[in-house]
Amino acid sequence: MTSTISPVRGMNDVLPEDELLWERLETAAAELFKAYDYHRIRIPVLERTELFRRSIGEATDIVEKEMYTFEDRGGDSLTLRPEATAGIVRACLTHGLLHNRQQKLWCSGPMFRREKPQKGRYRQFHQLSVEALGFDEPEIDAELILLSARLWRALGVTHAALELNSIGTPKSRAGYRDVLVEYFSAHKDRLDADSLRRLDRNPLRILDSKNPEMAELIAGAPVITEYLDEGSREHFERLKTLLTDAGIPFTVNPRLVRGLDYYTRTVFEWVTDRLGAQSAICAGGRYDGLVAQLGGRDTPAVGWALGVERVVELVRIEAAGDAEMRVPDVFVVSAGDEARRVGFAAAETLRDRVPGISVSIGSPSAGFKAQMRRADKSGARFALIVGEDEVAAGRLGLKPLRTDEPQLSLSLDEIVRQLSSALNRRE
Ligand code: ATP
Ligand code: MG
């Protein structure tokens, strides 16, 4: 026997039975993106490796150890995108989208990181993300956070808490970095291997350590909010006021630094206590330096990305009660050669004439009883029954499958009318 081929570790199939939850998230998000006037952009999953090295930063987990990088047949080094922001900024520069213009964009699709697979952490996962380019006002940071809060409400998610911080400008951060290096150097004996490595290369990342043995040391470290420059401090104050005015609760977490180098000023994360260790469901911040870093003009920007698998899981836990499988409205059952032709054509007529209808034809070659069983199992509300008698009489049977009402013998026109009103009533 031929053996089957297993999937790549950490890469998942999303089966039809999960589709409703995915769709619920995607539909709610798309509506909100429209409500806030964000426009969709689609970018390739492959980019030049250089793009991610230059944007995300050499001394980050992603670039150091998580990227899927390979040489293609032409000898170029390419990388499967680990996140979307770099590619979106690249696309804006490629097409001149920032020439005297601002952009509010959203994007959706798979990301790739070679992490240790576990629940909520995969090697191919999906993000929905938004970016506002060309805006430096705290109103836009607030708008993006409000959009995400509105999304949780729309989805019935209540267990999401907002953590907020400001990490200032690269200049003010350099000052803080020195203080931090001094502090951790004085406690070198208590640093784990990862943190020791980060001490020279990227000391702020030590604050991001998930090692519980480091928690106490990290708790005693100087906090970045005390080293902010005046502009960043004011920006942060205004953002907090806007969130408070909008009734969005938040906690300032001075140790929130985020894993990517390009962030400036605002950083934030939505976390939940319902998903175990993989608690971050949405994260983002301001990246005022990135566009220039990638060769464009100085352009302030801010954005966030949410992890679709994690949010879907949270919706399943918190609000799945009303999640149903999608079922067809009508299942066509036919018996006999002529009836098969009539049934097949009738299904097309229904799709033509009844707006929004879902019609399923099973296996018309199967026996009548088997087809009726499948019709029932499909969850359809009606069976459209076509037998030799019906064909001879120029009529079709419409049988309600979810009630005890009797089967009706009707013309196709009458069926169109019946179904149009029956399906409308359901709305
Ligand atoms: P984490 O701290 O969990 O590793 P991160 O800081 O690396 O997250 P971001 O780069 O900010 O994550 O990505 C935004 C969101 O994408 C995260 O908040 C999370 O919900 C999701 N995400 C990130 N990495 C993965 C992954 N490997 N599998 C599933 N979802 C992920
Ligand atoms: Mg990560």
Side-chain angles (χ1 to χ4, degrees), residues 10-290:
M11 306 208 174
N12 301 308
D13 305 305
V14 181
L15 303 181
E17 63 209 48
D18 288 323
E19 182 53 24
L20 263 183
L21 288 175
W22 282 63
E23 233 170 63
R24 208 198 280 182
L25 168 56
E26 283 161 0
T27 310
E31 274 171 20
L32 291 180
F33 295 151
K34 190 167 160 226
Y36 284 82
D37 195 30
Y38 282 68
H39 296 256
R40 185 169 198 170
I41 184 167
R42 300 178 201 254
I43 53 165
V45 292
L46 272 180
E47 297 275 359
R48 295 178 189 285
T49 303
E50 179 66 13
L51 175 68
F52 301 115
R53 290 193 171 284
R54 245 162 76 182
S55 55
I56 297 170
E58 294 283 353
T60 58
D61 281 355
I62 293 180
V63 172
E64 272 182 351
K65 51 192 188 198
E66 295 175 359
M67 294 202 304
Y68 280 95
T69 297
F70 64 97
E71 217 174 77
D72 82 350
R73 287 166 197 268
D76 293 323
S77 178
L78 303 182
T79 294
L80 278 166
R81 62 182 185 196
E83 55 104 48
T85 305
I88 290 170
V89 170
R90 198 269 312 134
C92 286
L93 296 177
T94 303
H95 303 284
L97 300 186
L98 301 174
H99 283 166
N100 304 317
R101 274 194 288 171
Q102 298 167 313
Q103 296 287 341
K104 289 187 174 180
L105 304 171
W106 70 274
C107 185
S108 154
M111 306 296 155
F112 304 85
R113 298 183 192 176
R114 202 173 185 291
E115 306 196 62
K116 188 163 159 256
Q118 51 198 290
K119 190 166 168 50
R121 189 174 296 285
Y122 310 109
R123 290 180 172 179
Q124 174 175 324
F125 63 100
H126 295 75
Q127 285 184 343
L128 268 169
S129 57
V130 284
E131 322 283 347
L133 299 118
F135 301 86
D136 61 7
E137 299 89 343
E139 279 81 353
I140 309 304
D141 308 43
E143 163 178 284
L144 281 176
I145 291 173
L146 261 53
L147 199 171
S148 55
R150 210 181 267 271
L151 182 59
W152 313 144
R153 281 203 298 280
L155 293 169
V157 165
T158 55
H159 288 265
L162 177 62
E163 297 196 354
L164 194 64
N165 194 19
S166 174
I167 56 173
T169 61
K171 206 168 147 213
S172 71
R173 200 150 66 234
Y176 173 64
R177 188 192 149 114
D178 294 342
V179 183
L180 202 62
V181 169
E182 203 175 303
Y183 171 80
F184 284 123
S185 299
H187 299 92
K188 248 187 175 153
D189 49 322
R190 292 167 65 192
L191 293 178
D192 62 11
D194 259 352
S195 302
L196 268 176
R197 204 163 36 86
R198 286 170 176 158
L199 187 57
D200 300 321
R201 299 196 61 188
N202 197 346
L204 261 72
R205 296 275 293 117
I206 299 177
L207 300 175
D208 214 18
S209 165
K210 300 197 167 102
N211 180 356
E213 282 169 28
M214 295 277 304
E216 198 191 333
L217 185 62
I218 290 171
V223 293
I224 198 163
T225 16
E226 287 178 10
Y227 295 83
L228 291 183
D229 55 289
E230 200 40 48
S232 297
R233 189 188 305 280
E234 191 190 319
H235 194 275
F236 194 36
E237 287 310 316
R238 280 176 183 262
L239 171 60
K240 288 191 284 186
T241 304
L242 287 162
L243 293 177
T244 305
D245 288 351
I248 305 287
F250 59 85
T251 321
V252 174
N253 174 358
R255 283 168 240 296
L256 182 66
V257 289
R258 310 281 302 115
L260 292 72
D261 275 358
Y262 54 58
Y263 285 108
T264 51
R265 295 193 166 171
T266 313
V267 292
F268 62 89
E269 229 170 63
W270 285 97
V271 293
T272 180
D273 55 3
R274 294 294 142 122
L275 294 179
Q278 271 40 263
S279 58
I281 54 170
C282 175
R286 197 158 258 293
Y287 49 93
D288 291 344
L290 181 59

